[in-house]
Amino acid sequence: MYFIGIDLGGTNIATGVVDQQGKIVAKNSIKTQASRHYNEIIKDMAESCLKVCKENNISFEDISGIGIGTPGTVQPGTGIITFANNLGFHNVPMKQEMEKLLKKPVFVGNDANVAALGEVFCGGAKGYRYAVTVTLGTGVGAGVIIDGKIYEGFNGGAVEMGHSIIKFDGIQCNCGRRGCWEQYASASALINQTKEQMGKHPESLMWHICENDLEKCNGRTAFAAAQQGDKPAAQIVDQYITYIAYGLGDVINIFQPEIILIGGGISGEGEYLLKPLREKTYSFCYAGPDGMKLAKIEKAQLGNDAGIIGAAALSM
């Protein structure tokens, strides 16, 4: 018995066949071409399901269900994508259209929620009933698992933690508000912060790492220089970790999970990131004068496969 998980993104559609233990036994990826009408994208998704099975000698009859993780807000129960701005989706009946094409049960969830479910199913949060996964990428995505189930809110739009405000009247966000967490804690924000610091410090080792080309600056630049003793880089790393901690403190105060997993490319910094992040985060938590047990903060384990595995888990 197998399940198919689809990680629908603005750039790529990743499709995988997953067994009952959460192991991906086959996968492929195609370009989303997000500017197209949703019918064309759905058709490609369906064809991708059939193709990944055929190319790996898996009978489509052995597929029990299909799960889809998508950006944006998904209406609970109906599988309708209410809104996904980077795909141009408005009230797209994803579940209904995919079931028409494939004649299999289809389940649809928000991509950050689905990734969190994957980590609980067979990743870094396996065995935990209360878990949060925070992904630091272009934005800040978060998925919350409460008592083993995805928390969506009554309308499917819960846990947009990246758009919680950590600085009044701060940096303009593309959501229309100012001071959102993702404008300070995303990988994109880190790159902007690094470039600004490099402009102030032409002597910084960060320039050497970037081969004196500001456009080669990435999310690792400041971390790499800081680990070699560069003070301007160390200031950026400390400031960036503080920004992440501001938001994580709120996550703990609101949800009190057993564990928080940090995903995205920045998580590759390992304990150099996580050790100070724990210290700063716990200092922002409401724990009372005698303290209380607080969430573990660890690195997410499934990487780019979390979306596929979590999507498949929706259909199990």
Side-chain angles (χ1 to χ4, degrees):
M1 182 183 297
Y2 296 108
F3 306 84
I4 288 179
I6 301 174
D7 185 2
L8 172 60
T11 303
N12 296 305
I13 300 168
T15 304
V17 179
V18 180
D19 66 17
Q20 290 175 288
Q21 287 71 48
K23 179 183 177 182
I24 297 176
V25 299
K27 65 179 176 179
N28 66 23
S29 179
I30 59 175
K31 294 296 181 182
T32 308
Q33 301 178 64
S35 61
R36 299 179 295 163
H37 190 274
Y38 73 78
N39 281 334
E40 294 298 315
I41 295 174
I42 290 174
K43 181 181 177 182
D44 279 356
M45 292 168 63
E47 290 179 353
S48 183
C49 291
L50 298 171
K51 185 177 180 181
V52 73
C53 289
K54 184 177 180 180
E55 290 181 344
N56 292 278
N57 298 314
I58 298 169
S59 171
F60 195 67
E61 295 302 314
D62 292 335
I63 302 299
S64 295
I66 298 162
I68 300 168
T70 175
T73 303
V74 180
Q75 194 177 97
T78 68
I80 294 173
I81 303 172
T82 308
F83 178 61
N85 65 304
N86 63 345
L87 292 172
F89 283 3
H90 297 267
N91 295 316
V92 172
M94 179 64 72
K95 172 181 170 68
Q96 179 182 339
E97 294 301 316
M98 285 288 283
E99 287 181 344
K100 282 182 185 177
L101 293 171
L102 296 175
K103 313 301 181 188
K104 297 279 186 181
V106 174
F107 303 84
V108 186
N110 168 268
D111 53 1
N113 291 339
V114 161
L117 183 62
E119 291 286 350
V120 167
F121 185 59
C122 64
K126 185 176 181 179
Y128 293 93
R129 301 292 292 171
Y130 301 87
V132 175
T133 298
V134 175
T135 302
L136 308 174
T138 305
V140 173
V144 173
I145 304 297
I146 296 178
D147 197 21
K149 299 177 182 178
I150 293 173
Y151 177 66
E152 300 175 295
F154 83 98
N155 60 1
V159 202
E160 286 290 348
M161 290 304 302
H163 296 288
S164 58
I165 293 175
I166 67 166
K167 189 170 185 179
F168 175 73
D169 203 27
I171 298 171
Q172 179 69 54
C173 183
N174 58 14
C175 76
R177 303 201 299 172
R178 287 184 174 273
C180 290
W181 188 26
E182 71 174 37
Q183 294 301 315
Y184 297 87
S186 64
S188 302
L190 172 59
I191 293 170
N192 291 335
Q193 293 158 19
T194 303
K195 288 180 177 179
E196 182 179 352
Q197 185 80 326
M198 288 170 66
K200 295 177 181 177
H201 295 277
E203 81 288 357
S204 171
L205 181 61
M206 292 186 284
W207 283 103
H208 174 72
I209 290 172
C210 291
E211 300 175 353
N212 291 314
D213 184 352
L214 202 61
E215 294 310 307
K216 291 184 179 180
C217 174
N218 58 40
R220 287 220 64 239
T221 302
F223 278 92
Q227 290 181 63
Q228 296 181 54
D230 186 73
K231 290 185 178 180
Q235 290 172 356
I236 285 298
V237 168
D238 182 71
Q239 173 185 273
Y240 177 68
I241 292 174
T242 302
Y243 286 144
I244 302 173
Y246 283 155
L248 291 188
D250 287 343
V251 169
I252 291 175
N253 289 339
I254 294 167
F255 296 106
Q256 294 297 342
E258 298 168 272
I259 188 168
I260 297 174
L261 297 179
I262 306 298
I266 302 298
S267 68
E269 299 298 331
E271 283 300 307
Y272 191 79
L273 165 73
L274 295 175
K275 187 176 184 295
L277 180 59
R278 293 185 191 105
E279 294 172 359
K280 290 175 181 289
T281 298
Y282 296 150
S283 73
F284 298 143
C285 293
Y286 179 81
D290 299 319
M292 63 182 181
K293 192 174 182 180
L294 294 173
K296 296 179 180 179
I297 300 174
E298 303 291 347
K299 178 184 174 183
Q301 297 297 314
L302 298 181
N304 292 332
D305 289 338
I308 291 176
I309 295 170
L314 287 176
S315 65
M316 294 182 185

